[in-house]
Amino acid sequence: MEYMTDPTDRSPGHILCCECGVPISPNPANICVACLRSKVDISQGIPKQVSISFCKQCQRYFQPPGTWIQCALESRELLALCLKKIKAPLNKVRLVDAGFVWTEPHSKRLKVKLTIQKEVMNGAILQQVFVVDYVVQSQMCGDCHRVEAKDFWKAVIQVRQKTLHKKTFYYLEQLILKYGMHQNTLRIKEIHDGLDFYYSTKQHAQKMVEFLQCTVPCRYKASQRLISQDIHSNTYNYKSTFSVEIVPICKDNVVCLSPKLAQSLGNMNQICVCIRVTSAIHLIDPNTLQVADIDGSTFWSHPFNSLCHPKQLEEFIVMECSIVQDLKRSAGAGMISKKHTLGEVWVQKTSEMNTDKQYFCRTHLGHLLNPGDLVLGFDLANCNLNDEHVNKMNSDRVPDVVLIKKSYDRTKRQRRRNWKLKELAKDRENMDTDDERQYQDFLEDLEEDEAIRKNVNIYRDSTIPVESDTDDEGAPRISLAEMLEDLHISQDATGEEGAPMMT
């Protein structure tokens, strides 16, 4: 029996593979796909295992020739970086598709599945799928290497204050912690009269200098030293130094203003008390309660010094205290403090209780003092004052005693203090035994002055039981509403460190 073919049937016929004899559809090579793949490997020349560098410190990948980039696992950026590692062999084929194959995050392996096409043997196009393994090798980047060396720096800021008390530095330390200005530092070194901040770039140092100018009254000078140069590419390597000088005035200092400056501040008396130092110097006249703020530029134009050292503070006992009700103000007087009360007191040194010698003075602590209270002050009558402005003043204009602050039992205050502060991680040298006393003075200033306290992060100390806001002596304390919870990084359910949180 013969079968007749339909002339309208135009379906292609089949041919036999010239290698294995399997019927196949006609193609330019006349070979089946299996035999073609066995004879031609279009992925030849493309490496199946490649190494990639990763910095564990900063979590960045190395991108040749000399950059480090941040990439998340299985991200488009990381895929592009992996393909660039085999860019030259891929130029000989056509890349159809690329994607990651899941691997364990801690396996130090990345797998990329590639689909490529290439024309082979008489114009036949062959497509092939294969996997390239990337081995993640640990390598420290240049920036992290300099940080770990701890002696490499491009810029340094030398902060100095020509005073014997460190209250301003303790306050500055808390501001740096609050605003995170210490994050870009390579190293912080504490010396006897200041702090040194080391940076890897000049831009980070300039940002820190701007921060210091906004937070404390200061001035600075910049200099740079040539380390090396390349005359062919016209590049220079400098080390920069910023010398920052903070005004030599601290809280509770007694100062004597120049007559010109006192007149420009509202005809206030030349003898004043510094009640705080923030972005400006805040002064109060203990005779009239007149207050004034002096910024850095005004201070350097009309400089003045502290009359007495903090160690010269003497303890007095209040014998009699009366509030001044009606105060006559002179023409052109400045602003009066609303937080203080003017009082007239008779005091006697606790070291002279066996005598009848008493001192009379006016004070801005009239709202705090009662007969029998202890108060700290400076005895200007029996003190050798070496100041150019005081020497030109009339003796009747210089008070015998200037009272600074009320005295409380320090041991009891330390025992009941249920809060704490954080500190910068800094290298210390030549530690003075007086530093602990100065730090306790700063903590007491925080308890007594709310204006300074609002700029500082205060954390509750869970080891100390919670008590009332005032003790039996009436010493000021910080309320719980002003404290933050000191949170620690804990282990989550997966055994990894949880993210730090703030409240």
Side-chain angles (χ1 to χ4, degrees):
M1 182 179 294
E2 295 183 356
Y3 294 95
M4 301 295 295
T5 59
D6 187 3
T8 62
D9 186 8
R10 300 182 179 273
S11 59
H14 288 78
I15 63 173
L16 299 179
C17 174
C18 63
E19 293 288 336
C20 61
V22 176
I24 59 172
S25 299
N27 59 64
N30 295 329
I31 302 178
C32 66
V33 175
C35 295
L36 187 60
R37 285 179 178 175
S38 64
K39 296 178 66 70
V40 180
D41 184 12
I42 62 174
S43 65
Q44 186 177 6
I46 301 177
K48 304 301 188 295
Q49 188 171 15
V50 185
S51 62
I52 187 170
S53 300
F54 176 72
C55 180
K56 295 189 295 183
Q57 276 74 12
C58 60
Q59 304 291 311
R60 293 187 299 175
Y61 291 90
F62 178 66
Q63 179 177 347
T67 58
W68 293 81
I69 60 175
Q70 195 91 22
C71 300
L73 286 177
E74 299 189 6
S75 63
R76 298 181 52 151
E77 293 80 7
L78 184 57
L79 181 60
L81 177 63
C82 294
L83 294 179
K84 286 181 180 179
K85 297 287 291 186
I86 55 175
K87 181 178 180 181
L90 282 179
N91 290 333
K92 301 178 181 179
V93 298
R94 180 190 176 193
L95 181 63
V96 177
D97 188 22
F100 282 102
V101 178
W102 185 87
T103 56
E104 180 67 29
H106 303 290
S107 64
K108 298 292 184 180
R109 295 291 188 276
L110 298 175
K111 292 187 177 182
V112 178
K113 183 179 180 181
L114 301 179
T115 303
I116 60 175
Q117 291 181 352
K118 187 178 180 181
E119 182 178 344
V120 295
M121 297 183 66
N122 301 326
I125 297 178
L126 183 63
Q127 179 172 305
Q128 186 173 346
V129 179
F130 63 99
V131 176
V132 178
D133 291 339
Y134 290 85
V135 181
V136 181
Q137 297 180 346
S138 298
Q139 177 182 346
M140 188 177 294
C141 66
D143 296 336
C144 295
H145 194 277
R146 297 185 186 102
V147 172
E148 291 297 324
K150 296 185 183 301
D151 58 352
F152 178 86
W153 52 272
K154 285 291 186 68
V156 60
I157 301 177
Q158 299 173 342
V159 185
R160 301 290 184 268
Q161 186 182 29
K162 297 178 181 178
T163 182
L164 298 177
H165 205 290
K166 297 183 178 180
K167 287 184 179 180
T168 307
F169 280 106
Y170 291 134
Y171 174 69
L172 182 61
E173 178 184 15
Q174 297 303 316
L175 290 179
I176 293 174
L177 285 170
K178 181 176 181 179
Y179 295 104
M181 297 302 296
H182 62 292
Q183 296 178 353
N184 294 323
T185 57
L186 299 178
R187 179 189 179 194
I188 302 176
K189 184 179 180 181
E190 180 180 359
I191 58 177
H192 66 282
D193 59 347
L195 294 171
D196 289 345
F197 298 88
Y198 295 89
Y199 294 89
S200 59
T201 62
K202 185 178 179 180
Q203 290 75 16
H204 290 159
Q206 290 174 334
K207 185 178 179 181
M208 183 64 173
V209 171
E210 294 175 358
F211 173 78
L212 294 176
Q213 289 181 302
C214 296
T215 52
V216 290
C218 62
R219 62 179 178 180
Y220 79 96
K221 293 182 180 179
S223 62
Q224 58 184 9
R225 179 165 59 95
L226 179 63
I227 303 301
S228 61
Q229 62 175 334
D230 187 354
I231 59 176
H232 301 289
S233 60
N234 199 25
T235 57
Y236 299 87
N237 182 20
Y238 289 99
K239 279 192 173 183
S240 303
T241 301
F242 297 88
S243 179
V244 180
E245 182 182 1
I246 303 176
V247 294
I249 306 297
C250 289
K251 186 180 185 298
D252 297 337
N253 283 162
V254 178
V255 300
C256 182
L257 308 179
S258 63
K260 184 177 180 181
L261 179 59
Q263 183 180 7
S264 66
L265 296 176
N267 293 323
M268 66 188 307
N269 291 324
Q270 292 181 245
I271 303 294
C272 297
V273 178
C274 177
I275 54 178
R276 75 179 65 90
V277 177
T278 54
S279 57
I281 304 173
H282 303 270
L283 301 178
I284 187 170
D285 183 358
N287 289 317
T288 62
L289 295 185
Q290 187 173 336
V291 293
D293 296 342
I294 301 176
D295 57 9
S297 60
T298 304
F299 175 85
W300 300 117
S301 302
H302 305 278
F304 52 87
N305 297 314
S306 175
L307 298 182
C308 301
H309 186 266
K311 291 184 178 180
Q312 294 176 303
L313 277 173
E314 298 190 58
E315 192 176 54
F316 297 84
I317 185 171
V318 179
M319 309 304 294
E320 183 180 347
C321 180
S322 61
I323 304 298
V324 178
Q325 300 293 343
D326 298 326
L327 176 63
K328 295 182 180 179
R329 302 184 63 190
S330 59
M335 186 171 56
I336 299 295
S337 174
K338 302 297 182 181
K339 296 182 179 180
H340 301 84
T341 304
L342 186 62
E344 293 180 343
V345 296
W346 285 91
V347 295
Q348 185 177 7
K349 290 184 181 180
T350 55
S351 60
E352 299 177 353
M353 294 299 293
N354 55 349
T355 65
D356 57 354
K357 187 175 182 180
Q358 297 184 5
Y359 302 90
F360 174 79
C361 66
R362 279 189 170 184
T363 179
H364 60 289
L365 305 176
H367 60 296
L368 296 176
L369 301 182
N370 295 300
D373 288 344
L374 296 178
V375 63
L376 299 178
F378 291 110
D379 182 9
L380 301 183
N382 302 316
C383 182
N384 184 15
L385 299 176
N386 185 15
D387 187 87
E388 57 176 343
H389 301 311
V390 176
N391 296 335
K392 297 178 182 179
M393 291 178 61
N394 295 329
S395 58
D396 56 345
R397 302 277 295 176
V398 180
D400 294 337
V401 173
V402 178
L403 301 182
I404 301 300
K405 59 182 179 179
K406 189 175 178 181
S407 178
Y408 302 96
D409 187 359
R410 169 166 287 187
T411 304
K412 188 177 295 185
R413 293 183 72 172
Q414 291 181 4
R415 187 171 62 251
R416 297 187 177 184
R417 186 172 291 139
N418 59 346
W419 55 274
K420 58 184 178 180
L421 300 176
K422 292 187 176 181
E423 297 183 6
L424 287 174
K426 48 185 180 289
D427 300 334
R428 298 185 178 183
E429 61 178 20
N430 299 329
M431 288 296 294
D432 191 358
T433 56
D434 194 43
D435 289 349
E436 181 61 28
R437 183 187 64 83
Q438 295 182 10
Y439 187 68
Q440 293 299 325
D441 289 342
F442 172 70
L443 297 182
E444 292 176 1
D445 292 341
L446 289 179
E447 293 176 336
E448 297 169 3
D449 194 345
E450 184 180 357
I452 299 179
R453 196 163 63 234
K454 68 180 183 180
N455 297 327
V456 176
N457 284 341
I458 298 174
Y459 299 91
R460 187 171 71 87
D461 191 354
S462 58
T463 60
I464 307 298
V466 179
E467 299 181 11
S468 60
D469 292 344
T470 57
D471 55 16
D472 299 334
E473 293 183 349
R477 301 183 65 187
I478 300 178
S479 62
L480 287 175
E482 300 178 82
M483 300 181 190
L484 300 174
E485 291 290 341
D486 187 13
L487 297 182
H488 300 279
I489 299 177
S490 59
Q491 299 289 328
D492 56 17
T494 62
E496 301 179 0
E497 288 187 350
M501 297 182 294
M502 295 295 294
T503 59

